[in-house]
Amino acid sequence: IDKCDKELVKIFERRLNAVLDVLEYKRKHALPIFQGQREKEVFKKVNSYLQNDEFSNELDLLYGQILKISRQVQSKALFPFNIIIIGFMGSGKTSVGMELSKLLEMKYMDTDEIIIKNTNMSINHIFEKFGEGKFRELEANTLEDLQNINNTIISCGGGIILNPKNIKLLKQLGKIIWLKVSPNEAYNRLLGDSSRPLLKDDFSLTNLTNILEKRLTLYENASDIIIETDGKNFGEICDEIIKNLLKCDSKI
Ligand code: S3P
């Protein structure tokens, strides 16, 4: 077994170095980097190398991990920064952030979720009991606590840009992606959802538009990359984010 492990580690290192070489080649030739189809082919191919089908499930388990690790090594090399997602309520920050974290094998965090976990209260309840001011204080503290994290996708509450100090912290933390959404689309996506305290008492297009318009320049000034989300699905939005990130400077 010791001998096998020694061989395995050697080959594992060789595979990861090959992954990085291929990455360099793809980058140079502007080829797509994260290809789901190629992963499916790898599973098929490695199964055909098995001499005894008895270990087919174990091989799938092993390759599931190997492919995940390969993706992680690639995204670490490509994006040596955190990816921060900002945007209005209903712009898709959570869904896009989670999808992106799967694609890039990066960790995922959500400032609202951290607040909910730390206080053991819903956002609505915090607003009702302590007011918006207290929520903004908790939001700013949450962000301050995140200053030492890396390789993480951070999805932020829609109002995080209201505090200039938060914007400064976000800029130090990583690349900021603004998921832009029109008032109509946000309205349609949020219909029937009562988890947003700012829209709870007056869920109307007028109220939503008023809040959104006041924030437009704040989102714009804070962002490194702007993605229009109207009419696009999460997969398309993630592809666009990756394409844009590949074009930008790796320093923050
Ligand atoms: C808010 C957006 C919410 C949440 C809170 C306030 C805002 O987050 O932080 O309700 O001011 O826009 P989502 O954008 O994730 O809904």
Side-chain angles (χ1 to χ4, degrees), residues 27 73 100 103 118 155 227 243:
R27 220 173 166 182
V73 164
L100 206 57
L103 264 173
N118 288 347
S155 166
I227 307 284
K243 264 189 208 140

Side-chain angles (χ1 to χ4, degrees), residues 20-235:
L20 288 174
D21 288 347
V22 170
L23 177 68
E24 206 40 54
Y25 177 87
K26 283 183 175 173
R27 220 173 166 182
K28 238 191 207 154
H29 296 84
L31 294 167
I33 289 168
F34 298 94
Q35 292 164 296
Q37 187 52 35
R38 158 87 185 137
E39 292 201 357
K40 280 186 200 132
E41 283 162 20
V42 172
F43 272 106
K44 244 196 191 160
K45 212 185 260 180
V46 293
N47 264 288
S48 76
Y49 301 150
L50 260 187
Q51 290 175 14
N52 181 348
D53 277 352
E54 194 193 337
F55 294 133
S56 170
N57 286 342
E58 287 72 15
L59 188 72
D60 281 348
L61 274 177
L62 174 67
Y63 264 84
Q65 289 304 318
I66 287 183
L67 293 175
K68 261 190 186 179
I69 294 165
S70 301
R71 240 182 295 145
Q72 196 175 58
V73 164
Q74 286 181 315
S75 57
K76 257 191 195 165
L78 287 172
F79 312 130
F81 39 72
N82 298 300
I83 300 173
I84 296 145
I85 308 184
I86 61 167
F88 198 66
M89 296 172 265
S91 59
K93 299 178 299 276
T94 305
S95 308
V96 169
M98 285 166 87
E99 179 82 18
L100 206 57
S101 106
K102 266 196 260 158
L103 264 173
L104 302 178
E105 269 320 310
M106 286 171 79
K107 284 168 278 178
Y108 174 75
M109 280 181 184
D110 181 316
T111 57
D112 279 350
E113 286 306 318
I114 298 174
I115 295 171
I116 293 169
K117 199 169 156 225
N118 288 347
T119 57
N120 207 10
M121 286 167 87
S122 69
I123 305 286
N124 264 332
H125 200 185
I126 299 173
F127 269 69
E128 268 162 30
K129 201 156 177 211
F130 303 108
E132 182 175 351
K134 180 69 188 172
F135 173 78
R136 299 295 172 208
E137 204 183 303
L138 292 169
E139 195 170 44
N141 293 344
T142 302
L143 201 53
E144 266 182 43
D145 290 344
L146 295 184
Q147 288 309 297
N148 291 322
I149 58 163
N150 48 43
N151 283 101
T152 304
I153 293 170
I154 306 154
S155 166
C156 301
I160 204 138
I161 37 73
L162 295 171
N163 180 346
K165 209 173 135 206
N166 290 347
I167 299 184
K168 213 171 144 208
L169 289 176
L170 289 175
K171 284 188 191 270
Q172 288 166 10
L173 207 53
K175 294 276 182 213
I176 307 178
I177 322 274
W178 172 26
L179 297 187
K180 201 173 174 187
V181 65
S182 68
N184 273 309
E185 180 112 0
Y187 179 82
N188 287 328
R189 290 187 197 162
L190 294 168
L191 260 177
D193 182 330
S194 56
S195 65
R196 288 8 188 245
L198 295 180
L199 299 172
K200 217 167 125 238
D201 297 331
D202 178 8
F203 187 80
S204 64
L205 186 58
T206 319
N207 183 30
L208 186 150
T209 309
N210 276 338
I211 307 173
L212 176 52
E213 279 181 353
K214 277 191 210 129
R215 294 180 179 179
L216 281 177
T217 41
L218 293 174
Y219 287 128
E220 184 164 8
N221 292 340
S223 57
D224 295 302
I225 292 168
I226 302 173
I227 307 284
E228 302 275 353
T229 67
D230 282 18
K232 294 179 189 159
N233 64 38
F234 299 138

